[in-house]
Amino acid sequence: MRFLNKFFTACLFSVFFLTGNYATSQIPIYNEEEVLKLAGDAKAIVLNRSEKVRISFNKGKPLIYVTYVEHILFLNEGSAAGQEFEIPYSDKFFPLKYISANTFIKTDNGYKKIGTKPATHTSKVKDGLFYDDMKQATVVLPAVEKYSITELKYEHQVLDPMFVFPFYFKPITTLPLVKSIFRIEYDEGFDIKLKLFGDTTALVKSSDTKGKVKWTEMVMKNSRSGKEYDNEPGSAYFKPHIFYLIQSYSDKSSKTEILGTTDQLYKQNYSYIKNLNDEVCSKELSAVADSIKKTVDIKDSLQIIEDILYWIQGHIRYIAIEDGLSGYVPRPSNAVFDRRYGDCKDMASLMQYMLKACKIQSNLAWIGTRDIPYSYADLPINSSSNHMILAKKMQGKWHFYDPTAEGLKSDLPSSFIQGKEAMISIDENNYEIIKVPEIDKSINYRRDSVQAKMSVDGGLELKGKLSFGGLYRWRIVSFYTSLNDQKKKELVESLIKHNYDKAKVINYEISNLTDNNAPFQISYNIIMPDFANKIDKEFYFNPHFRKPIMNEKISNERKNIPVEYSYKNTEIFHLKMELPNNYKASSLPLNVNYNSELIRFDRIFSESGNHFEMNSILEVNTLFLKDNDFEQWNRGVGAINKSFKESIVVKPQ
Amino acid sequence: MKKLIFPILLLFPFISSFSQLTYNPFDYDFSEKIETIDGKIAADNEEAVYIFNKSMIWYGLLPNTEYNIRAVIIHKLVYLNSEKSIDDNNKIYISNSSSDSLHVFKVRIIDNGKIVREFGKSDLKESKESQDSKLRMLAVEGLKKGQMLERLTIELQRFNDNGSVTLEDNYSSLSRYVSVACPSHLKFTSKSYGITQELKDTLEEYSNFRYLYADFGKVLPFESEEYAFKNTRSARVEFTLSQNFSSGTKLNSWANKGRGLMESLVNTEKSEKKFIDKLVLKQNWSKLNGKEQLYEIETYMKSNINISEEYPYISNVEKLFSQKYADVYSVLRIYIMIFQSLDIKWQLAVTVPRTKKLFDQNFPSSAYITIPLFYLTDLKSFMDPSDYEYRGGDISYTYEGQKAMFVKPMLIGEGISGVTRIDSIPDRHRSLSVRNIDIKVNWDEDMNSIIQTHYIGTGHGIDSRKLIYTLNDKDKANEFTEESVRDDKKEGDFKIIEVNHYDLNKYSEYVQPIEMKYQWTTEEFSESVGNNILFKYGLLIGRQVELYKEKERKYPIDNYFPHDHKVILEINIPEGYKAKGFEGKNKHLEYKDSSGNELFGIDIQVNEKDGKIILEIFEYYARSVYPPSEFEHFREVINAAADVNVYTLLLEKK
């Protein structure tokens, strides 16, 4: 996302396609019966995937090679020939030293090797990015058929030990795996730290020293095909993976510190911003800052911050740009202002620059979005951050501003950074690591207030007002504004038709689309023909037009894979129903009050004459559910579902 | 002096129209005059509008060579009237294949009559957005609402004797101009579809070129309708090379095209024949016959050789079998050799998916012969060599109900040539594409409904389920099934009990309907009303979407394929309860054309019998396409099925 950490991304790409076995070009010996048993119904099985990291000295500096090998046994009838495999690399940071791919076809006498054509090399631009110095080598596998084995091998050189990326033992959950190995070998003099993340219970470690070379190996064996689930967080939360950190190296008399502490990480991060915006503010940029300043009381710094934030969001388009180190270094603000586009760090630094022009001091901050589970203390390297925001301390409390979050109220952090640590730059030697607050459930709301009138044939005429606040507003507005007119209409209609296919929209009106400080509202009139079922002379219908979290029960099979929600939220539904003359709700469901740490649900009915009202409120008070939350969560969902399933019968008086 | 005025006045209109008409890809450029039109007024509240939108095709020689080429000039000026249009336009993608031949690529941003930024070919970055799309991209920096974006691309391509221009773009075009230029010794003919205006032919030459051209004026964007294939129904112009005056050859006849294709495929080397004879012997195909023989040949080929447009043409048979991937024409040759070896009578049937274009017999163009199929004359069956899903005489519905160019091989002298005719690939009868669903509902002690479903699907009615089960692990395929049955309803225990006859690679399974049995124990469809239960049984048949009519139907109804859909749903009335609310739901709709041929219909019956409520639905659609005039009736039938979704039973405690 945002400020892309190319190495982390490279790693994810690589693990999807390839791995390595530092053994040479020979297919692994395997027990066919056992492998087929492990594969079950799978169409392919990874016989082995492995990565070997070799760190040695070259003229007193670290020399790092990372070698990958992967062998996959294909078990399906259909040919997989022509399948492409992609290996990412960067000439500036981790050049590809060699690549080789082969197919081994099973014959009566063993295996026949068929090599691929040479790899093709192209630049890689991911969706949403403008420029990127990443490249990829592509090889096409020939002659793949049932019981053939594909082999992929390649080697990267890591030019800068500051940039390391992880090895995932089993990146594709659904593909069974016989063996996955990570091995690191390093010369005496290197201080290496291995950091394991995800569910590491299946890993077996061994290590030793041979001569002046130390080695450590981590092995995962016999892993069956797994299942993928809804609302999985980033795979780094649960898939086993390992980082190697070169903390320091000593050569003869000197010791060089590289990685391992947050101080070292900050020192490196600060080097990217220390010469930022040394030039004089351009006339045009000053003019905009002045015009903002003039419209508000100069003492009202909060208002100036908000105005500048909204100005940037409205005038600078977010476009991720990566080109070598510029993936880390913000561009000069005058240039960003002039070009009217930039990535997260460009937008954050422009905001800081414009605030400075208004005599307001603020601080740049690095942060990892919620796809990344690492804290800075756990993993004090670049891979822990992939985004930049602006921080401002007021009355002893830090406030966080994300200029990329267009449409979001200024005092709210975006959903993908809440609860995450920000590394705030104070000056060359000082920084603070502060957690961005999680936004309270009451701020992120959806409120639907409906007045309904039932006709004698069971149809409803509805007049409603639907409002969205906080991150709920942001999500809907961001999506809405990205659509063309036809899709916008479809989106609004889907929101106001209450999931009733037969509903017909009479009209609707949208308000506060551009006012970030006000709820996004849709006032609407619809009709819902045949909504109430007429059985004999009575009408039956369910008053819960919308049943949020009804389908959010967590499967009992789900183990060690958390559930992630974008934000805590509140759903409020108010229904005021007018029944046909001489009709009355014969028995209203009971009021409900369910309360737990994770979910709360309240429902109150009242009635008068041929009218009744229902007020319901549902609060989801969690961003993340772990195994030990599942039972409590399911209990709550079950209880609420029961209430959602209570219908009303309306009878003639 | 006065004498001069007359000839000059006469000359101006001529020069003006001449210069507008003629163009050359090697000197075509942006106009020096900057457009100053008030785009805001022109856009008239639309997201954006093309002030002009020109597609100009040029045929001729690559300068200083003898290579015949085609140049495609796209020149458009768009006024950006919304933030959305900026997002749509701030990245311009050029496909990788085009980038190889990209002669000119220029983009400029115009603001109030002034050029504020310009971009060129060197600003394009190579990219790869996904596994399937290889692209180059221009980042159009600093684009703002209210500006105009002018874009010119000129691609030099290999000579291609046909092409088409879709007239409807993503925004309205105020002036939609199309032109085809060719050297005067050639003649192109064109035909418009979905719009009445045709390209005009200059008939005479301007600087050794003749032109087909038209300004279609204002063209609105395509207005989508339910049950209308966008590509098929969009307004477009097709053009094709029809004559070469210098050689005296008439080129645009189906006979020529068929003969040319046949001759490029049939003549084989002796060594190839030997290789194929050996393969045929090894596979024992001669011991089979009929559809089973065809099925086994296809299964072998489709399991062993991957086909893709991106793969190379491989003429050497042995190399092809070693590499195991190639383009479709390489593989067609293999099939033909196999057929010859087994003495199977075959013809080529070449067509285009009707989801893209409707084959036009009266306009012989290679645009209509993009997909080669085989027609096995003894079996009276078709075969698609490049579609993994279909075997043994089955093909995708996209070719059924479509015409095709049939080419029969014929021995002429020592070589084989082809005899061509245009004929139809018939629609498969609706009774061959069937979904039969039997559902039984019982109750457990907690009054959860136990829903047992028995699904049987044949023909196109199987919704690619066999393909899903063949290509995926069974667990994964079961997940697909579960998701499609549950829709977004996740409550309760779902288990798949049996899936039979799904393996595309086993003949005995391929020829039988796929059969699936699953059970779902859930309270998903029940609601409580005091001590009584409302059971929303109408939802058990799957969600049916209501079809609305907001405007007069414009396009014919593209109904995918003829099919039958049968549902029998039996609900056991639980002990201690009586059922209410099923009465008065019966419905029967049936429509025929003026000749009495069936079109579509639905029959819905809900009855109580032997302690059960039984819902029976029989829905059928006899054709793949209906005229717009049938839309209202079609809608009635679709909506009758959608109405079932709200059927609810009251189970009242006795």
Side-chain angles (χ1 to χ4, degrees):
Chain A
M1 217 138 135
R2 313 294 137 173
F3 158 36
L4 185 87
N5 181 322
K6 62 187 66 181
F7 304 102
F8 190 72
T9 309
C11 161
L12 286 176
F13 275 104
S14 67
V15 293
F16 260 89
F17 297 110
L18 296 177
T19 50
N21 173 352
Y22 38 90
T24 52
S25 172
Q26 283 190 343
I27 57 165
I29 296 164
Y30 64 94
N31 180 317
E32 189 171 316
E33 194 183 333
E34 284 177 15
V35 165
L36 293 180
K37 195 176 162 195
L38 182 66
D41 284 325
K43 304 291 182 193
I45 181 166
V46 179
L47 293 177
N48 74 309
R49 68 185 311 274
S50 52
E51 172 176 296
K52 177 190 168 187
V53 181
R54 179 71 180 98
I55 306 170
S56 56
F57 282 106
N58 179 27
K59 295 176 186 169
K61 299 281 179 197
L63 181 66
I64 309 164
Y65 285 99
V66 182
T67 315
Y68 308 82
V69 179
E70 176 187 74
H71 289 99
I72 297 178
L73 170 66
F74 282 81
L75 300 167
N76 56 328
E77 294 282 353
S79 172
Q83 196 170 335
E84 284 188 356
F85 288 84
E86 296 165 351
I87 301 95
Y89 65 94
S90 158
D91 288 332
K92 292 177 188 169
F93 294 95
F94 50 107
L96 190 64
K97 303 309 285 184
Y98 75 82
I99 173 168
S100 142
N102 300 295
T103 301
F104 294 88
I105 300 170
K106 198 172 185 185
T107 65
D108 295 342
N109 307 319
Y111 283 92
K112 181 184 166 192
K113 179 178 167 182
I114 297 179
T116 58
K117 288 181 182 173
T120 54
H121 297 260
T122 50
S123 298
K124 185 171 179 64
V125 177
K126 282 179 77 239
D127 190 21
L129 284 173
F130 265 21
Y131 307 124
D132 190 303
D133 63 352
M134 290 286 291
K135 290 183 178 172
Q136 68 185 15
T138 305
V139 284
V140 182
L141 284 169
V144 186
E145 60 186 24
K146 192 174 183 180
Y147 297 127
S148 61
I149 295 172
T150 59
E151 176 187 74
L152 283 149
K153 299 194 298 178
Y154 65 93
E155 185 174 76
H156 283 129
Q157 184 179 1
V158 178
L159 295 178
D160 188 339
M162 304 286 271
F163 298 105
V164 290
F165 42 100
F167 172 74
Y168 276 71
F169 288 85
K170 191 187 178 193
I172 303 173
T173 308
T174 52
L175 195 60
L177 175 144
V178 178
K179 190 159 73 172
S180 184
I181 311 166
F182 171 82
R183 183 182 173 98
I184 183 164
E185 293 176 4
Y186 51 98
D187 289 355
E188 203 174 60
F190 284 100
D191 179 12
I192 305 291
K193 195 169 191 177
L194 297 178
K195 288 277 192 178
L196 281 162
F197 295 94
D199 178 9
T200 56
T201 48
L203 299 181
V204 177
K205 180 183 174 184
S206 55
S207 54
D208 205 347
T209 303
K210 195 177 177 184
K212 291 187 173 180
V213 178
K214 292 181 179 176
W215 63 264
T216 297
E217 200 167 87
M218 308 288 299
V219 181
M220 177 192 243
K221 281 185 180 173
N222 300 332
S223 177
R224 290 184 180 280
S225 168
K227 204 175 167 186
E228 289 168 344
Y229 294 94
D230 292 342
N231 298 330
E232 284 184 3
S235 58
Y237 281 88
F238 58 94
K239 290 184 181 173
H241 59 289
I242 189 166
F243 281 91
Y244 63 95
L245 273 57
I246 306 173
Q247 299 197 108
S248 65
Y249 60 90
S250 309
D251 184 31
K252 295 173 187 168
S253 55
S254 65
K255 184 178 180 187
T256 306
E257 306 276 352
I258 303 180
L259 291 168
T261 67
T262 52
D263 288 350
Q264 284 163 324
L265 174 62
Y266 179 69
K267 196 175 160 191
Q268 184 194 358
N269 280 348
Y270 187 78
S271 69
Y272 304 138
I273 61 167
K274 71 175 177 186
N275 297 321
L276 184 64
N277 291 332
D278 282 347
E279 79 271 38
V280 179
C281 192
S282 72
K283 276 184 190 169
E284 293 80 7
L285 202 156
S286 296
V288 172
D290 285 346
S291 70
I292 289 171
K293 213 162 51 178
K294 274 179 200 161
T295 56
V296 291
D297 179 353
I298 190 66
K299 288 177 188 166
D300 190 354
S301 54
L302 259 181
Q303 188 60 53
I304 295 174
I305 292 169
E306 182 175 289
D307 287 355
I308 287 177
L309 177 73
Y310 290 164
W311 187 91
I312 291 174
Q313 288 175 343
H315 293 83
I316 307 294
R317 304 191 77 73
Y318 170 74
I319 292 162
I321 309 151
E322 301 224 349
D323 201 3
L325 261 185
S326 63
Y328 297 93
V329 182
R331 284 160 196 79
S333 292
N334 284 331
V336 175
F337 175 85
D338 180 46
R339 290 181 194 168
R340 294 287 203 270
Y341 72 88
D343 63 11
C344 60
K345 57 190 185 305
D346 300 335
M347 293 170 86
S349 83
L350 174 62
M351 184 171 170
Q352 186 190 41
Y353 198 52
M354 290 176 75
L355 287 173
K356 194 175 157 192
C358 297
K359 309 269 186 294
I360 295 172
Q361 182 274 336
S362 60
N363 306 72
L364 291 172
W366 294 267
I367 192 165
T369 58
R370 286 176 58 204
D371 330 317
I372 299 175
Y374 323 113
S375 71
Y376 285 112
D378 279 346
L379 193 69
I381 62 171
N382 272 302
S383 298
S384 294
S385 312
N386 60 351
H387 191 39
M388 186 176 261
I389 55 174
L390 199 68
K392 166 77 185 156
K393 202 170 198 176
M394 286 178 278
Q395 294 165 341
K397 193 183 160 200
W398 283 104
H399 295 253
F400 300 95
Y401 301 96
D402 187 345
T404 66
E406 188 180 350
L408 183 62
K409 197 164 179 275
S410 65
D411 59 356
L412 297 179
S414 43
S415 60
F416 49 81
I417 60 169
Q418 53 176 334
K420 291 287 300 180
E421 288 177 347
M423 179 179 261
I424 304 166
S425 172
I426 308 294
D427 56 35
E428 184 162 5
N429 299 310
N430 295 293
Y431 63 94
E432 284 187 44
I433 293 177
I434 302 288
K435 238 183 197 179
V436 172
E438 292 179 4
I439 303 176
D440 189 77
K441 56 191 179 300
S442 61
I443 292 170
N444 310 318
Y445 65 84
R446 171 191 167 119
R447 182 188 296 123
D448 204 353
S449 190
V450 171
Q451 284 188 313
K453 188 176 177 184
M454 186 191 289
S455 63
V456 287
D457 59 3
L460 298 187
E461 277 179 33
L462 254 71
K463 184 178 182 181
K465 186 181 268 186
L466 181 59
S467 312
F468 297 93
L471 292 172
Y472 220 142
R473 175 195 193 283
W474 182 51
R475 194 190 72 180
I476 294 282
V477 168
S478 302
F479 186 50
Y480 179 86
T481 48
S482 73
L483 301 173
N484 64 29
D485 288 350
Q486 177 60 27
K487 296 284 177 196
K488 279 178 182 161
K489 181 171 172 257
E490 286 169 17
L491 171 67
V492 172
E493 292 197 348
S494 73
L495 290 169
I496 61 179
K497 282 167 87 171
H498 299 284
N499 208 24
Y500 187 65
D501 285 335
K502 289 170 76 79
K504 284 180 186 159
V505 176
I506 306 300
N507 55 41
Y508 65 82
E509 192 182 323
I510 281 170
S511 48
N512 303 332
L513 180 65
T514 54
D515 183 355
N516 296 353
N517 295 331
F520 174 58
Q521 282 184 341
I522 306 166
S523 304
Y524 61 92
N525 287 287
I526 63 166
I527 53 170
M528 296 166 78
D530 307 323
F531 184 74
N533 284 286
K534 192 172 186 185
I535 297 171
D536 292 342
K537 288 178 179 170
E538 298 162 357
F539 289 106
Y540 294 82
F541 66 92
N542 190 314
H544 295 283
F545 290 179
R546 192 176 132 80
K547 303 174 183 74
I549 73 156
M550 187 165 183
N551 291 312
E552 301 290 333
K553 261 195 179 171
I554 299 163
S555 159
N556 293 332
E557 293 168 18
R558 187 167 181 156
K559 305 280 181 212
N560 298 325
I561 301 176
V563 177
E564 188 186 38
Y565 291 104
S566 299
Y567 43 83
K568 299 170 183 174
N569 68 82
T570 301
E571 294 233 6
I572 302 154
F573 183 56
H574 171 68
L575 173 67
K576 188 174 181 184
M577 176 78 84
E578 182 187 340
L579 304 170
N581 282 338
N582 304 320
Y583 276 79
K584 194 175 184 324
S586 77
S587 62
L588 290 170
L590 295 174
N591 293 341
V592 177
N593 175 240
Y594 180 87
N595 209 342
S596 78
E597 272 176 43
L598 304 171
I599 328 177
R600 184 174 85 86
F601 180 64
D602 256 325
R603 182 183 69 187
I604 298 168
F605 280 101
S606 63
E607 69 175 323
S608 150
N610 67 335
H611 287 75
F612 76 85
E613 285 188 44
M614 182 186 79
N615 281 294
S616 77
I617 179 163
L618 174 69
E619 293 172 351
V620 175
N621 192 26
T622 182
L623 289 176
F624 212 71
L625 295 170
K626 291 184 181 162
D627 277 22
N628 53 5
D629 299 320
F630 290 177
E631 197 188 327
Q632 189 196 136
W633 174 265
N634 281 348
R635 218 172 25 244
V637 172
I640 294 163
N641 276 354
K642 201 174 165 197
S643 304
F644 282 159
K645 285 173 170 293
E646 290 174 322
S647 284
I648 291 174
V649 56
V650 172
K651 293 182 177 176
Q653 286 177 329
Chain B
M1 192 65 191
K2 277 185 179 178
K3 281 181 184 173
L4 282 175
I5 292 171
F6 183 59
I8 288 171
L9 283 175
L10 265 182
L11 192 61
F12 269 129
F14 174 74
I15 290 170
S16 169
S17 66
F18 177 81
S19 61
Q20 199 178 348
L21 192 62
T22 63
Y23 52 89
N24 180 320
F26 303 102
D27 58 20
Y28 189 93
D29 204 346
F30 282 148
S31 164
E32 284 179 17
K33 186 178 160 239
I34 308 300
E35 288 286 346
T36 53
I37 189 167
D38 188 338
K40 198 167 178 60
I41 292 170
D44 190 24
N45 288 328
E46 289 187 62
E47 286 173 7
V49 65
Y50 290 107
I51 306 301
F52 61 77
N53 191 344
K54 299 177 184 178
S55 302
M56 296 181 286
I57 321 298
W58 181 92
Y59 286 88
L61 287 177
L62 188 66
N64 306 318
T65 73
E66 291 179 351
Y67 295 122
N68 280 303
I69 60 157
R70 174 168 85 170
V72 177
I73 304 169
I74 306 286
H75 186 185
K76 35 175 115 171
L77 177 71
V78 59
Y79 175 81
L80 306 167
N81 200 30
S82 65
E83 292 296 317
K84 172 77 178 55
S85 66
I86 297 172
D87 283 337
D88 292 346
N89 285 280
N90 67 8
K91 280 184 265 182
I92 297 174
Y93 291 97
I94 304 284
S95 81
N96 236 18
S97 55
S98 317
S99 67
D100 294 338
S101 59
L102 194 64
H103 174 57
V104 174
F105 179 76
K106 294 173 90 168
V107 173
R108 61 186 184 183
I109 302 172
I110 299 168
D111 199 341
N112 283 322
K114 287 181 185 163
I115 299 163
V116 293
R117 211 173 281 256
E118 289 178 285
F119 306 88
K121 215 157 92 172
S122 60
D123 297 312
L124 277 169
K125 301 283 177 185
E126 279 185 29
S127 75
K128 183 165 180 176
E129 289 254 321
S130 69
Q131 190 83 355
D132 303 319
S133 60
K134 292 172 183 170
L135 302 164
R136 293 176 85 192
M137 185 192 75
L138 171 74
V140 187
E141 301 157 0
L143 210 53
K144 291 183 207 165
K145 189 177 161 184
Q147 292 180 328
M148 290 198 280
L149 185 74
E150 189 172 6
R151 172 184 166 184
L152 171 65
T153 55
I154 303 178
E155 286 176 34
L156 305 184
Q157 302 173 343
R158 274 196 296 182
F159 188 92
N160 186 336
D161 71 354
N162 74 92
S164 79
V165 175
T166 302
L167 300 176
E168 293 150 334
D169 216 318
N170 49 344
Y171 316 118
S172 292
S173 300
L174 298 183
S175 162
R176 186 73 178 97
Y177 184 78
V178 177
S179 171
V180 181
C182 67
S184 50
H185 69 280
L186 297 178
K187 183 186 176 189
F188 273 80
T189 48
S190 71
K191 191 167 177 181
S192 298
Y193 297 84
I195 198 161
T196 50
Q197 191 178 347
E198 297 284 351
L199 299 189
K200 287 179 202 161
D201 192 333
T202 54
L203 298 176
E204 54 187 278
E205 59 184 71
Y206 295 101
S207 308
N208 299 321
F209 274 82
R210 60 189 285 166
Y211 295 82
L212 292 170
Y213 69 99
D215 186 342
F216 292 89
K218 184 166 183 176
V219 175
L220 299 175
F222 181 79
E223 204 172 329
S224 62
E225 290 183 335
E226 296 286 340
Y227 293 92
F229 298 141
K230 182 180 174 187
N231 290 328
T232 311
R233 304 301 169 191
S234 291
R236 70 180 200 279
V237 176
E238 294 281 343
F239 53 90
T240 186
L241 180 61
S242 56
Q243 206 165 350
N244 184 339
F245 295 112
S246 56
S247 65
T249 325
K250 280 199 170 180
L251 298 157
N252 66 335
S253 74
W254 292 119
N256 283 342
K257 291 180 192 299
R259 189 167 55 242
L261 178 63
M262 180 63 78
E263 287 174 1
S264 71
L265 294 169
V266 287
N267 296 314
T268 50
E269 302 284 333
K270 273 185 186 168
S271 60
E272 291 181 315
K273 189 176 174 318
K274 202 173 158 188
F275 181 93
I276 293 296
D277 286 346
K278 210 170 142 188
L279 173 74
V280 167
L281 200 65
K282 190 179 168 193
Q283 296 299 323
N284 275 326
W285 288 328
S286 60
K287 292 185 178 157
L288 303 170
N289 51 44
K291 289 195 174 181
E292 185 175 4
Q293 185 186 48
L294 180 63
Y295 166 87
E296 291 298 346
I297 294 167
E298 276 186 90
T299 298
Y300 176 83
M301 292 292 288
K302 288 175 179 176
S303 299
N304 279 285
I305 296 173
N306 272 359
I307 296 175
S308 164
E309 277 177 20
E310 293 190 0
Y311 296 156
Y313 175 76
I314 300 174
S315 58
N316 183 300
V317 174
E318 275 191 64
K319 189 180 169 195
L320 195 153
F321 274 95
S322 160
Q323 189 158 302
K324 293 183 184 293
Y325 63 90
D327 78 344
V328 67
Y329 291 96
S330 318
V331 180
L332 280 182
R333 288 187 71 241
I334 309 283
Y335 274 107
I336 290 171
M337 285 185 258
I338 294 171
F339 293 155
Q340 286 170 334
S341 176
L342 288 163
D343 202 21
I344 294 173
K345 291 189 177 57
W346 60 277
Q347 297 178 10
L348 290 169
V350 198
T351 188
V352 62
R354 65 180 158 80
T355 46
K356 289 186 177 170
K357 287 174 185 177
L358 294 182
F359 192 101
D360 184 356
Q361 179 172 2
N362 299 318
F363 191 72
S365 164
S366 303
Y368 295 113
I369 46 174
T370 59
I371 303 291
L373 309 171
F374 284 108
Y375 176 56
L376 291 312
T377 48
D378 286 347
L379 292 174
K380 294 189 169 35
S381 293
F382 293 84
M383 190 266 255
D384 183 349
S386 52
D387 195 331
Y388 185 84
E389 187 174 357
Y390 298 97
R391 320 271 170 96
D394 297 331
I395 53 171
S396 158
Y397 74 87
T398 60
Y399 312 122
E400 292 174 345
Q402 173 79 310
K403 284 187 173 163
M405 177 181 82
F406 285 70
V407 194
K408 186 179 171 185
M410 183 162 282
L411 196 64
I412 297 175
E414 288 188 354
I416 297 174
S417 187
V419 177
T420 307
R421 72 179 195 284
I422 304 302
D423 210 336
S424 293
I425 300 174
D427 261 334
R428 196 190 290 220
H429 190 269
R430 61 176 174 80
S431 61
L432 299 174
S433 294
V434 180
R435 255 182 299 163
N436 269 339
I437 302 174
D438 281 347
I439 306 168
K440 290 188 169 50
V441 180
N442 288 290
W443 307 86
D444 70 9
E445 55 199 21
D446 298 324
M447 288 308 288
N448 290 310
S449 45
I450 305 164
I451 302 158
Q452 292 166 304
T453 303
H454 186 187
Y455 166 106
I456 296 175
T458 59
H460 302 309
I462 68 172
D463 303 328
S464 293
R465 283 168 200 246
K466 287 194 180 190
L467 184 69
I468 291 167
Y469 273 90
T470 304
L471 292 183
N472 290 283
D473 304 346
K474 198 157 181 190
D475 287 348
K476 189 78 195 165
N478 281 344
E479 273 179 42
F480 283 127
T481 301
E482 185 176 337
E483 278 171 25
S484 69
V485 174
R486 281 183 176 239
D487 198 1
D488 58 350
K489 302 173 188 72
K490 293 184 184 167
E491 194 171 271
D493 295 326
F494 188 97
K495 60 180 174 190
I496 293 180
I497 296 161
E498 253 182 88
V499 183
N500 298 316
H501 318 138
Y502 60 81
D503 193 340
L504 291 174
N505 293 317
K506 287 182 186 153
Y507 183 66
S508 58
E509 297 201 8
Y510 181 85
V511 291
Q512 293 197 60
I514 188 169
E515 181 184 23
M516 306 172 84
K517 290 179 183 172
Y518 37 83
Q519 180 172 307
W520 189 2
T521 304
T522 180
E523 54 178 15
E524 181 76 48
F525 303 97
S526 304
E527 290 181 357
S528 63
V529 197
N531 290 326
N532 301 330
I533 294 168
L534 279 177
F535 185 60
K536 301 193 162 185
Y537 68 99
L539 293 172
L540 295 181
I541 66 162
R543 193 173 171 196
Q544 313 286 311
V545 178
E546 193 113 349
L547 197 53
Y548 294 106
K549 186 187 177 187
E550 290 174 349
K551 290 178 185 169
E552 200 59 36
R553 179 75 183 190
K554 184 176 174 187
Y555 302 114
I557 303 155
D558 290 316
N559 182 43
Y560 303 93
F561 49 86
H563 62 275
D564 288 356
H565 184 195
K566 295 177 195 169
V567 177
I568 299 177
L569 167 62
E570 288 183 8
I571 305 159
N572 267 302
I573 301 168
E575 211 167 300
Y577 288 85
K578 60 181 176 184
K580 284 181 166 180
F582 58 88
E583 307 86 350
K585 305 287 187 196
N586 298 351
K587 195 173 269 184
H588 183 84
L589 296 168
E590 200 165 7
Y591 293 100
K592 295 184 175 181
D593 66 14
S594 54
S595 309
N597 300 312
E598 61 180 13
L599 293 172
F600 33 67
I602 189 166
D603 185 76
I604 301 167
Q605 301 289 326
V606 191
N607 295 298
E608 184 175 10
K609 193 180 174 188
D610 302 333
K612 293 172 186 166
I613 300 299
I614 302 170
L615 164 71
E616 290 175 279
I617 304 172
F618 176 60
E619 187 181 357
Y620 69 88
Y621 299 87
R623 294 186 192 170
S624 50
V625 185
Y626 300 100
S629 57
E630 290 297 341
F631 184 71
E632 201 47 48
H633 292 148
F634 181 78
R635 201 169 79 88
E636 270 182 54
V637 172
I638 292 276
N639 288 353
D643 281 346
V644 174
N645 276 167
V646 297
Y647 286 10
T648 302
L649 207 60
L650 176 69
L651 297 170
E652 199 173 66
K653 199 104 180 179
K654 283 180 184 168

